[in-house]
Amino acid sequence: MTAPAPAPLAPTTPAAPLPGSPYSDYVYAYPHKTAYRELPDPPLLRDLWRGERKDALSLYLHIPFCEVRCGFCNLFTRIGAPDGLTGRYLDALERQAAAVRDALGDEAPVSFANAAFGGGTPTFLTAGELERLCDIAELGMGADLRAVPLSVETSPATATADRLAVLAGRGATRISIGVQSFLPEEARAAVRPQRRADVEAALGRIRDARVPVLNIDLIYGIDGQTPATWRTSLDAALAWRPEELYLYPLYVRPLTGLARRTAVTDRAWDEQRLTLYRQGRDHLLAHGYEQVSMRMFRLAGAAPQGPDDHACQTDGMIGLGCGARSYTSSLHYSFDYAVDMGEIRGIIDDYTATEDFTRAVHGRPTDGNEARRRHLLQSLLQARGMPVADYRERFGSDPHEDFPAELSAFAARGWLAEDGAGPLLRLTPEGLAHSDALGPELFSPAVRAAMAAYETK
């Protein structure tokens, strides 16, 4: 059977997704940071956290540095760190940790249920700097990294033996490596130059470090990718028998490297991505993996080593670093957000010069309606679904009464198992395939308006 010709990439200025596109937006948090704004009267952190539960917090430390910036990347990160910038950044991170831990107080138990280092690329830091990062989490925040799941992101170039030894020794239970493609020509098309031999060597070093969970990220929808080449990358990843695999559809975002390339967005690219998604899903299921969400697959029998994709329905997230978010029941907050490299450099410089971290400066207040949306959205996007009883217990209402139009529309499209009836709201396989269309439909009008008004920078 002849493989279909690959669809082209997206336009120079990426347009809004086509009506009915299965790829409207990747919802990894709600609301997105483009809905955040500078807070006119920045609240004190101690006031925000007073009265919040603090006995099972999540801790996230953000390192905004990479050795290269991939063409598809719109994360808050910069290339390189000249003139001792990583040291100044860790100094600021230490000041922020001290302010946050003081704001949490001691009138109620403070403990952490899980921790993660993300970015950027945390392993851009040297081994000695990673030791210091762990000290900030443990000594500064009071997190026992050896007693809770600790997930760390890395890249092929920075997954060195000395760095991995530090992370393994400090309690890392999961290493996630962004490979994206094992084929050099596809990596170049995604503006991610790498050699397969270097990728394989990095995977070998991770396995040698004996961290319990290896996660490999792959991307489908790259220019020139075919079912045959996608199968090559899937099989190359499976050869390492990773405990987790993430399969990401390619998106082309404004101000990213790929956005500067000329091509056409049409239905063919949507169909290409859907075809490759289904191929990848079926291939992993046939090789002993279980689907956790549209993107996440876990080897049957492998123990989770951190929160699942989209699993942050409840509040209690502490984010440290200039790209990290924190969640309380009344406010989601962070620092300013940008994609443009010049803007990012300026925000990082401002962060490293900050002495007073006692207030939240950018964010979005939340209310009961938004909490309901967030719980439904992030629970429904899990393959296991959402127990209706859990929703009722938390909010004192029924999701079908709170979101009748949305759930009826999902059922009419065949996205809800049993048409949404019964004790479990769960997506069908086709519903999971359309997670990136379903999720945005649950955004509130206010959040939609804020995101639309955001000026990309």
PDB file of all heavy atoms in Angstrom, residues 338-358:
ATOM      1  N   ALA A 338       5.692  35.295  27.428  1.00  0.00           N
ATOM      2  CA  ALA A 338       6.056  35.696  26.075  1.00  0.00           C
ATOM      3  C   ALA A 338       6.558  34.478  25.312  1.00  0.00           C
ATOM      4  O   ALA A 338       6.861  33.432  25.899  1.00  0.00           O
ATOM      5  CB  ALA A 338       7.127  36.781  26.096  1.00  0.00           C
ATOM      6  N   VAL A 339       6.621  34.615  23.995  1.00  0.00           N
ATOM      7  CA  VAL A 339       7.184  33.589  23.113  1.00  0.00           C
ATOM      8  C   VAL A 339       8.402  34.139  22.382  1.00  0.00           C
ATOM      9  O   VAL A 339       9.374  33.435  22.158  1.00  0.00           O
ATOM     10  CB  VAL A 339       6.129  33.098  22.100  1.00  0.00           C
ATOM     11  CG1 VAL A 339       6.749  32.092  21.125  1.00  0.00           C
ATOM     12  CG2 VAL A 339       4.941  32.470  22.820  1.00  0.00           C
ATOM     13  N   ASP A 340       8.365  35.413  22.034  1.00  0.00           N
ATOM     14  CA  ASP A 340       9.492  36.055  21.347  1.00  0.00           C
ATOM     15  C   ASP A 340      10.740  36.012  22.218  1.00  0.00           C
ATOM     16  O   ASP A 340      10.700  36.302  23.422  1.00  0.00           O
ATOM     17  CB  ASP A 340       9.127  37.499  21.023  1.00  0.00           C
ATOM     18  CG  ASP A 340      10.285  38.247  20.396  1.00  0.00           C
ATOM     19  OD1 ASP A 340      10.553  38.039  19.200  1.00  0.00           O
ATOM     20  OD2 ASP A 340      10.936  39.032  21.123  1.00  0.00           O
ATOM     21  N   MET A 341      11.866  35.657  21.608  1.00  0.00           N
ATOM     22  CA  MET A 341      13.094  35.470  22.367  1.00  0.00           C
ATOM     23  C   MET A 341      13.549  36.742  23.072  1.00  0.00           C
ATOM     24  O   MET A 341      14.017  36.704  24.225  1.00  0.00           O
ATOM     25  CB  MET A 341      14.200  34.959  21.447  1.00  0.00           C
ATOM     26  CG  MET A 341      13.981  33.531  20.964  1.00  0.00           C
ATOM     27  SD  MET A 341      14.027  32.332  22.311  1.00  0.00           S
ATOM     28  CE  MET A 341      15.735  32.444  22.787  1.00  0.00           C
ATOM     29  N   GLY A 342      13.417  37.884  22.419  1.00  0.00           N
ATOM     30  CA  GLY A 342      13.816  39.125  23.050  1.00  0.00           C
ATOM     31  C   GLY A 342      12.962  39.442  24.267  1.00  0.00           C
ATOM     32  O   GLY A 342      13.475  39.882  25.308  1.00  0.00           O
ATOM     33  N   GLU A 343      11.668  39.221  24.143  1.00  0.00           N
ATOM     34  CA  GLU A 343      10.767  39.458  25.272  1.00  0.00           C
ATOM     35  C   GLU A 343      11.084  38.508  26.427  1.00  0.00           C
ATOM     36  O   GLU A 343      11.084  38.904  27.598  1.00  0.00           O
ATOM     37  CB  GLU A 343       9.315  39.283  24.827  1.00  0.00           C
ATOM     38  CG  GLU A 343       8.824  40.281  23.803  1.00  0.00           C
ATOM     39  CD  GLU A 343       8.472  41.627  24.422  1.00  0.00           C
ATOM     40  OE1 GLU A 343       8.464  41.724  25.666  1.00  0.00           O
ATOM     41  OE2 GLU A 343       8.221  42.574  23.652  1.00  0.00           O
ATOM     42  N   ILE A 344      11.353  37.252  26.096  1.00  0.00           N
ATOM     43  CA  ILE A 344      11.665  36.273  27.135  1.00  0.00           C
ATOM     44  C   ILE A 344      12.939  36.666  27.879  1.00  0.00           C
ATOM     45  O   ILE A 344      12.997  36.599  29.117  1.00  0.00           O
ATOM     46  CB  ILE A 344      11.801  34.862  26.520  1.00  0.00           C
ATOM     47  CG1 ILE A 344      10.425  34.344  26.086  1.00  0.00           C
ATOM     48  CG2 ILE A 344      12.437  33.890  27.515  1.00  0.00           C
ATOM     49  CD1 ILE A 344      10.473  33.044  25.312  1.00  0.00           C
ATOM     50  N   ARG A 345      13.946  37.082  27.141  1.00  0.00           N
ATOM     51  CA  ARG A 345      15.198  37.486  27.791  1.00  0.00           C
ATOM     52  C   ARG A 345      14.956  38.624  28.780  1.00  0.00           C
ATOM     53  O   ARG A 345      15.518  38.645  29.876  1.00  0.00           O
ATOM     54  CB  ARG A 345      16.235  37.878  26.742  1.00  0.00           C
ATOM     55  CG  ARG A 345      16.822  36.690  25.991  1.00  0.00           C
ATOM     56  CD  ARG A 345      18.063  37.101  25.211  1.00  0.00           C
ATOM     57  NE  ARG A 345      17.737  37.968  24.091  1.00  0.00           N
ATOM     58  CZ  ARG A 345      17.481  37.547  22.855  1.00  0.00           C
ATOM     59  NH1 ARG A 345      17.494  36.243  22.589  1.00  0.00           N
ATOM     60  NH2 ARG A 345      17.208  38.396  21.901  1.00  0.00           N
ATOM     61  N   GLY A 346      14.109  39.574  28.390  1.00  0.00           N
ATOM     62  CA  GLY A 346      13.810  40.693  29.276  1.00  0.00           C
ATOM     63  C   GLY A 346      13.093  40.259  30.538  1.00  0.00           C
ATOM     64  O   GLY A 346      13.387  40.744  31.644  1.00  0.00           O
ATOM     65  N   ILE A 347      12.138  39.330  30.403  1.00  0.00           N
ATOM     66  CA  ILE A 347      11.394  38.843  31.567  1.00  0.00           C
ATOM     67  C   ILE A 347      12.319  38.069  32.505  1.00  0.00           C
ATOM     68  O   ILE A 347      12.243  38.205  33.737  1.00  0.00           O
ATOM     69  CB  ILE A 347      10.209  37.975  31.115  1.00  0.00           C
ATOM     70  CG1 ILE A 347       9.191  38.838  30.354  1.00  0.00           C
ATOM     71  CG2 ILE A 347       9.534  37.299  32.311  1.00  0.00           C
ATOM     72  CD1 ILE A 347       8.089  38.047  29.672  1.00  0.00           C
ATOM     73  N   ILE A 348      13.212  37.252  31.933  1.00  0.00           N
ATOM     74  CA  ILE A 348      14.159  36.509  32.771  1.00  0.00           C
ATOM     75  C   ILE A 348      15.086  37.467  33.501  1.00  0.00           C
ATOM     76  O   ILE A 348      15.360  37.307  34.705  1.00  0.00           O
ATOM     77  CB  ILE A 348      14.967  35.506  31.924  1.00  0.00           C
ATOM     78  CG1 ILE A 348      14.047  34.405  31.389  1.00  0.00           C
ATOM     79  CG2 ILE A 348      16.102  34.898  32.746  1.00  0.00           C
ATOM     80  CD1 ILE A 348      14.719  33.466  30.404  1.00  0.00           C
ATOM     81  N   ASP A 349      15.554  38.506  32.810  1.00  0.00           N
ATOM     82  CA  ASP A 349      16.428  39.489  33.457  1.00  0.00           C
ATOM     83  C   ASP A 349      15.698  40.189  34.602  1.00  0.00           C
ATOM     84  O   ASP A 349      16.272  40.417  35.674  1.00  0.00           O
ATOM     85  CB  ASP A 349      16.925  40.514  32.439  1.00  0.00           C
ATOM     86  CG  ASP A 349      17.939  39.933  31.465  1.00  0.00           C
ATOM     87  OD1 ASP A 349      18.492  38.848  31.768  1.00  0.00           O
ATOM     88  OD2 ASP A 349      18.165  40.550  30.410  1.00  0.00           O
ATOM     89  N   ASP A 350      14.429  40.537  34.381  1.00  0.00           N
ATOM     90  CA  ASP A 350      13.641  41.170  35.447  1.00  0.00           C
ATOM     91  C   ASP A 350      13.481  40.227  36.633  1.00  0.00           C
ATOM     92  O   ASP A 350      13.566  40.637  37.793  1.00  0.00           O
ATOM     93  CB  ASP A 350      12.263  41.575  34.922  1.00  0.00           C
ATOM     94  CG  ASP A 350      12.321  42.760  33.971  1.00  0.00           C
ATOM     95  OD1 ASP A 350      13.362  43.458  33.946  1.00  0.00           O
ATOM     96  OD2 ASP A 350      11.332  42.988  33.244  1.00  0.00           O
ATOM     97  N   TYR A 351      13.260  38.952  36.335  1.00  0.00           N
ATOM     98  CA  TYR A 351      13.094  37.965  37.405  1.00  0.00           C
ATOM     99  C   TYR A 351      14.364  37.851  38.241  1.00  0.00           C
ATOM    100  O   TYR A 351      14.316  37.838  39.477  1.00  0.00           O
ATOM    101  CB  TYR A 351      12.719  36.613  36.800  1.00  0.00           C
ATOM    102  CG  TYR A 351      12.647  35.483  37.815  1.00  0.00           C
ATOM    103  CD1 TYR A 351      11.511  35.277  38.588  1.00  0.00           C
ATOM    104  CD2 TYR A 351      13.730  34.623  37.999  1.00  0.00           C
ATOM    105  CE1 TYR A 351      11.450  34.257  39.531  1.00  0.00           C
ATOM    106  CE2 TYR A 351      13.686  33.599  38.935  1.00  0.00           C
ATOM    107  CZ  TYR A 351      12.543  33.417  39.691  1.00  0.00           C
ATOM    108  OH  TYR A 351      12.499  32.411  40.632  1.00  0.00           O
ATOM    109  N   THR A 352      15.503  37.761  37.577  1.00  0.00           N
ATOM    110  CA  THR A 352      16.746  37.578  38.321  1.00  0.00           C
ATOM    111  C   THR A 352      17.094  38.811  39.155  1.00  0.00           C
ATOM    112  O   THR A 352      17.837  38.699  40.136  1.00  0.00           O
ATOM    113  CB  THR A 352      17.926  37.260  37.380  1.00  0.00           C
ATOM    114  OG1 THR A 352      18.110  38.343  36.456  1.00  0.00           O
ATOM    115  CG2 THR A 352      17.675  35.971  36.614  1.00  0.00           C
ATOM    116  N   ALA A 353      16.549  39.980  38.785  1.00  0.00           N
ATOM    117  CA  ALA A 353      16.810  41.208  39.546  1.00  0.00           C
ATOM    118  C   ALA A 353      15.791  41.428  40.664  1.00  0.00           C
ATOM    119  O   ALA A 353      15.956  42.353  41.466  1.00  0.00           O
ATOM    120  CB  ALA A 353      16.807  42.407  38.608  1.00  0.00           C
ATOM    121  N   THR A 354      14.759  40.595  40.727  1.00  0.00           N
ATOM    122  CA  THR A 354      13.700  40.780  41.724  1.00  0.00           C
ATOM    123  C   THR A 354      14.175  40.379  43.111  1.00  0.00           C
ATOM    124  O   THR A 354      14.757  39.308  43.290  1.00  0.00           O
ATOM    125  CB  THR A 354      12.454  39.958  41.343  1.00  0.00           C
ATOM    126  OG1 THR A 354      11.961  40.411  40.074  1.00  0.00           O
ATOM    127  CG2 THR A 354      11.355  40.101  42.392  1.00  0.00           C
ATOM    128  N   GLU A 355      13.923  41.246  44.075  1.00  0.00           N
ATOM    129  CA  GLU A 355      14.248  40.951  45.463  1.00  0.00           C
ATOM    130  C   GLU A 355      13.016  40.566  46.276  1.00  0.00           C
ATOM    131  O   GLU A 355      13.108  39.774  47.212  1.00  0.00           O
ATOM    132  CB  GLU A 355      14.924  42.176  46.111  1.00  0.00           C
ATOM    133  CG  GLU A 355      16.277  42.535  45.515  1.00  0.00           C
ATOM    134  CD  GLU A 355      17.350  41.492  45.785  1.00  0.00           C
ATOM    135  OE1 GLU A 355      17.222  40.756  46.783  1.00  0.00           O
ATOM    136  OE2 GLU A 355      18.310  41.404  44.993  1.00  0.00           O
ATOM    137  N   ASP A 356      11.862  41.127  45.932  1.00  0.00           N
ATOM    138  CA  ASP A 356      10.644  40.918  46.706  1.00  0.00           C
ATOM    139  C   ASP A 356       9.699  39.980  45.949  1.00  0.00           C
ATOM    140  O   ASP A 356       9.125  40.355  44.932  1.00  0.00           O
ATOM    141  CB  ASP A 356       9.960  42.262  46.953  1.00  0.00           C
ATOM    142  CG  ASP A 356       8.709  42.137  47.816  1.00  0.00           C
ATOM    143  OD1 ASP A 356       8.385  41.001  48.246  1.00  0.00           O
ATOM    144  OD2 ASP A 356       8.051  43.168  48.057  1.00  0.00           O
ATOM    145  N   PHE A 357       9.566  38.757  46.449  1.00  0.00           N
ATOM    146  CA  PHE A 357       8.673  37.763  45.836  1.00  0.00           C
ATOM    147  C   PHE A 357       7.453  37.488  46.718  1.00  0.00           C
ATOM    148  O   PHE A 357       6.876  36.412  46.666  1.00  0.00           O
ATOM    149  CB  PHE A 357       9.429  36.449  45.607  1.00  0.00           C
ATOM    150  CG  PHE A 357      10.412  36.504  44.467  1.00  0.00           C
ATOM    151  CD1 PHE A 357      11.771  36.634  44.712  1.00  0.00           C
ATOM    152  CD2 PHE A 357       9.973  36.427  43.156  1.00  0.00           C
ATOM    153  CE1 PHE A 357      12.681  36.669  43.670  1.00  0.00           C
ATOM    154  CE2 PHE A 357      10.882  36.461  42.102  1.00  0.00           C
ATOM    155  CZ  PHE A 357      12.244  36.581  42.348  1.00  0.00           C
ATOM    156  N   THR A 358       7.055  38.458  47.506  1.00  0.00           N
ATOM    157  CA  THR A 358       5.979  38.218  48.480  1.00  0.00           C
ATOM    158  C   THR A 358       4.593  38.422  47.901  1.00  0.00           C
ATOM    159  O   THR A 358       3.600  38.159  48.592  1.00  0.00           O
ATOM    160  CB  THR A 358       6.137  39.144  49.697  1.00  0.00           C
ATOM    161  OG1 THR A 358       6.089  40.516  49.263  1.00  0.00           O
ATOM    162  CG2 THR A 358       7.455  38.872  50.412  1.00  0.00           C
TER     163      THR A 358
END
